[in-house]
């Protein structure tokens, strides 16, 4: 006889699922054990949100959905954070949730909640198999819909009475493994129209989004940039598709590049808040947009494109490149546009260098980041999360390889850091065991999921976590000022600013509590020693770095967001 839990496990294994994350309990505890029995790695997390974030990142890194296994009611609700994050970022994942038995619905059953209905806002596909025999069909469909088109989340609901079912093995039919999504290309007429516009631009710019990274388009995109010498700007998670060290990268002249470009080619990048919707004053009033995206619905969104192509980024860029080669077109390196951009890059580099050279304590972000960047391997997977910590890390931490930067993403989700790091470390175990995962977070960001250090140490994942502790969200208070408010006449809830945390917190002790290594540092020399030591050992580490509470990023022409936080 086949049980429901064995059918779920076999169906997922047949579909190529490798990783599952979750928090077990009634009624799905046995499902996790069944997954392990068929060779699917199950990571027991401390919170369903972190488990769902890990599942989404696993899907991004592998292009095969990560699975998040949760209990009914509150467990399912906690996982909605990761489902929405994956859905909006365009990452494949599957949430499998236990739920109240159907014979108790409407009675107020244990953890009863309308989970199928609740999941619809956060996923591409939701289902509730009617019985054990329908489970393999729905699992294949959930994976297919999660990976085809723009990827996203799927939800499978397992009622408690269905989980308890058994049936003869001969009555179960397992669909074959879902095929790889089809690769779509563009009509040659559209390729020619796009290149007609691009080749006549006076100030062209290519924006490389994380859609390029997800589609593994790095080889054709690099060839395109290098052969035709076009300035490019990566979005935060598009970093590394073409190396940040490339002479054609204009990240350090971002505002100038966006505001002055007359033609912008978007490669798997959306005109959302990250790119200021493509509107003035961040973009030139008369800019022409060229767009390549896997999702047809994304074309012409926010701003009408001159040429819009729905297709696989790698395949379409190969077509673009072939046509440009026939034209023997290359953007001139001695153009006025390159002169403008290089001058701006130099000016910004000089401003940053002054902050790097300031080694006074408490440290500023730039001095700390410069030291870290000089020490970590160039092929490290970088997880970066926080407010100033993430924004400054975007410019200070260089990526040479695609899919090697994980951050808050399109949804701007805080709390993703340790879940992302866990997913990345599992990927490294199976694909590149010598590669290191470096997770750099603000103190607020670390607080969302700090107990996952217990998960990291339990599974012996050699993740290096560096906490930039400035005692607050965006900024904090000096230790003496914080203490005086804490101990003053007024209740702390009335006197301590809402964004304040404790600069005196020793986040490194959380790692030590679970058996890992902890380092508390205040100077560049101490930071150098700690990072060097962590890179020598293959075990979980946390480095708590004291950052000046009012340290900020350098003055910008425009804030990162379309509207300022504060």
């Amino acid at each position: 006889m086949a049980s429901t839990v064995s059918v779920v496990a076999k169906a997922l294994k047949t579909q190529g699922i490798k990783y599952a994350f979750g928090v077990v309990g009634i009624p799905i505890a046995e499902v996790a054990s069944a997954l392990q029995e068929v060779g699917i790695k199950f990571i027991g997390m401390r919170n369903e949100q972190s488990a769902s974030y890990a599942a989404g990142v696993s899907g991004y890194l592998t292009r095969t959905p990560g699975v998040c296994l949760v209990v009914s009611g509150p467990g399912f609700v906690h996982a909605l954070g990761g489902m929405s994050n994956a859905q909006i970022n365009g990452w494949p994942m599957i949430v499998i949730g236990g739920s109240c038995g159907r014979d108790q619905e409407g009675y107020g059953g244990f953890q009863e909640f309308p989970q199928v209905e609740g999941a619809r806002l956060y996923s591409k596909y939701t289902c509730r198999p009617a019985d054990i025999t329908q489970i393999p069909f729905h699992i294949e469909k959930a994976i297919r819909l999660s990976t085809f088109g723009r990827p996203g989340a799927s939800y499978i609901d397992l009622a408690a009475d269905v989980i308890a079912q058994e049936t003869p093995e001969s009555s179960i039919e397992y669909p074959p493994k879902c095929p790889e999504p089809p690769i779509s290309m563009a009509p040659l007429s559209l390729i020619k129209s796009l290149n007609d516009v691009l080749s006549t631009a006076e100030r062209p710019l290519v924006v490389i989004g994380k859609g390029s990274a997800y589609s593994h388009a790095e080889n054709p995109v690099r060839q395109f940039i290098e052969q035709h010498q076009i300035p490019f700007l990566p979005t935060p998670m598009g970093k590394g598709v073409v190396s940040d060290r490339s002479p054609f990268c204009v990240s350090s002249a971002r505002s100038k590049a966006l505001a002055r470009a007359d033609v912008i080619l978007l490669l798997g990048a959306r005109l959302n808040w990250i790119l200021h919707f493509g509107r003035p004053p961040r973009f030139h009033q008369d800019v022409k947009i060229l767009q390549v995206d896997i999702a047809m619905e994304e074309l012409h969104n926010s701003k009408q494109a001159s040429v819009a192509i729905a297709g696989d980024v790698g395949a379409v860029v190969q077509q673009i490149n072939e046509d440009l080669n026939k034209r023997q077109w290359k953007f001139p390196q001695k153009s006025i546009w390159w002169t403008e951009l290089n001058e701006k890059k130099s000016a910004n580099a000089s401003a940053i260098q002054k902050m790097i050279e300031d080694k006074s304590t408490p440290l500023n972000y730039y001095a700390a980041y410069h030291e870290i960047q000089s020490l970590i391997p160039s092929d490290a997977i970088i997880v970066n999360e926080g407010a100033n910590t993430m924004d400054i890390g975007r410019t200070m931490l260089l990526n040479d390889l695609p899919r090697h930067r994980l951050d808050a993403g399109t949804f701007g989700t805080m709390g993703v850091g340790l879940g992302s790091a866990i997913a990345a470390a599992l990927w490294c175990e199976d694909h590149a065991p010598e590669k290191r995962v470096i997770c750099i977070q603000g103190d607020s960001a670390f607080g969302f999921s700090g107990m996952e250090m217990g998960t990291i140490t339990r599974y012996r994942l050699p993740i290096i976590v560096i906490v930039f502790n400035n005692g607050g969200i965006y900024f904090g208070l000096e230790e003496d000022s914080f203490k005086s408010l804490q101990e003053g006449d007024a209740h702390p809830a009335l006197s301590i600013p809402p964004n304040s945390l404790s600069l005196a917190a020793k986040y490194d002790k959380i790692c030590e509590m679970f058996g890992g290594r902890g380092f508390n540092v205040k100077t560049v020399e101490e930071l150098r020693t700690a990072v060097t030591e962590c890179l020598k050992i293959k075990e979980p580490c946390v480095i708590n770095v004291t950052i000046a509470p009012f340290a900020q990023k350098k003055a910008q022409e425009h804030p990162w967001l379309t509207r300022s936080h504060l």
Side-chain angles (χ1 to χ4, degrees), residues 6-43:
S6 67
V7 170
V8 169
K10 185 175 179 180
L12 290 171
K13 182 70 173 180
T14 300
Q15 295 302 322
I17 299 299
K18 294 183 177 181
Y19 308 110
F21 311 82
V23 180
V24 299
I26 298 171
I28 51 83
E30 292 82 2
V31 176
S33 297
L35 296 181
Q36 290 179 317
E37 288 176 10
V38 299
I40 296 174
K41 291 182 178 179
F42 179 79
I43 303 296

Side-chain angles (χ1 to χ4, degrees), residues 4 80 137 141 154 157 176 182 193 221 237 250 264 266 268 315 318 355 363 378 422 435 451:
T4 292
L80 292 177
F137 165 81
K141 186 171 183 179
S154 290
D157 192 79
S193 295
V221 172
M237 286 184 61
V250 295
I264 295 180
L266 303 174
Q318 185 67 39
M355 288 180 278
L363 293 172
S378 61
I422 289 168
K435 197 181 290 287
M451 288 300 288

Side-chain angles (χ1 to χ4, degrees), residues 186-196 307 309 319 323 327:
L188 291 180
S189 59
L190 279 181
I191 296 294
K192 291 181 183 299
S193 295
L194 185 147
N195 282 341
D196 285 344
V307 181
I309 295 176
Q319 290 180 284
D323 182 68
R327 302 180 187 216

Side-chain angles (χ1 to χ4, degrees), residues 151-170:
S154 290
Y155 175 66
I156 301 172
D157 192 79
L158 297 178
D161 55 307
V162 173
I163 291 177
Q165 289 178 353
E166 292 185 336
T167 194
E169 185 70 49
S170 60

